[in-house]
């Protein structure tokens, strides 16, 4: 018997009863990726093959060209929540950014001052 005068533990479990997905409508997009080199967290290892390997980490960021584009994105998002958010008493809304072929981490070989 646990504490609390013999009462059993109360446990709750999330049960997903409904899932709704919708893509955002847009005319075109442009990859505006920029590289931000960071100092390595550990020494490169000097001579030898080990010092030539570089782990590169990427992240995805949604950046809008102008205020009109930003407003349109959030208008579509608000319409989605208004249409589907009232169906359940408790709901969870998330946005996901899918980029075809995106890989969060890659290993590269450093050579001649360039990363390949």
């Amino acid at each position: 018997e646990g504490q609390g005068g013999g009462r059993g533990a109360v446990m709750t479990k999330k049960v997903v009863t409904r899932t709704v997905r919708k893509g955002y409508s847009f005319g075109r997009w442009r990859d505006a990726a920029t590289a931000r080199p960071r100092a390595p967290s550990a020494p490169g290892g000097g001579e030898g093959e080990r010092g030539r390997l570089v782990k590169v980490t990427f992240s995805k960021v949604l950046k809008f060209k102008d205020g009109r584009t930003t407003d349109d994105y959030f208008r579509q998002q608000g319409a989605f929540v208004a249409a589907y958010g009232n169906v359940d008493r408790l709901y969870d809304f998330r946005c996901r950014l899918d980029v075809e072929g995106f890989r969060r981490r890659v290993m590269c070989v450093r050579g001649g001052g360039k990363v390949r």
Side-chain angles (χ1 to χ4, degrees), residues 36-93:
R36 292 187 199 164
R38 285 193 265 171
S41 57
E47 302 294 320
E49 193 65 29
R50 187 165 186 211
R52 296 183 66 210
L53 293 178
V54 177
K55 179 170 66 171
V56 181
T57 303
F58 299 97
S59 60
K60 298 179 276 186
V61 176
L62 190 58
K63 187 175 179 182
F64 300 107
K65 180 179 180 180
D66 53 32
R68 194 175 102 212
T69 306
T70 304
D71 292 345
D72 182 55
Y73 175 84
F74 287 110
R75 181 192 56 75
Q76 290 184 55
Q77 187 179 83
F80 179 86
V81 171
Y84 300 106
N86 297 326
V87 175
D88 289 323
R89 187 170 52 94
L90 302 173
Y91 71 93
D92 183 19
F93 174 78

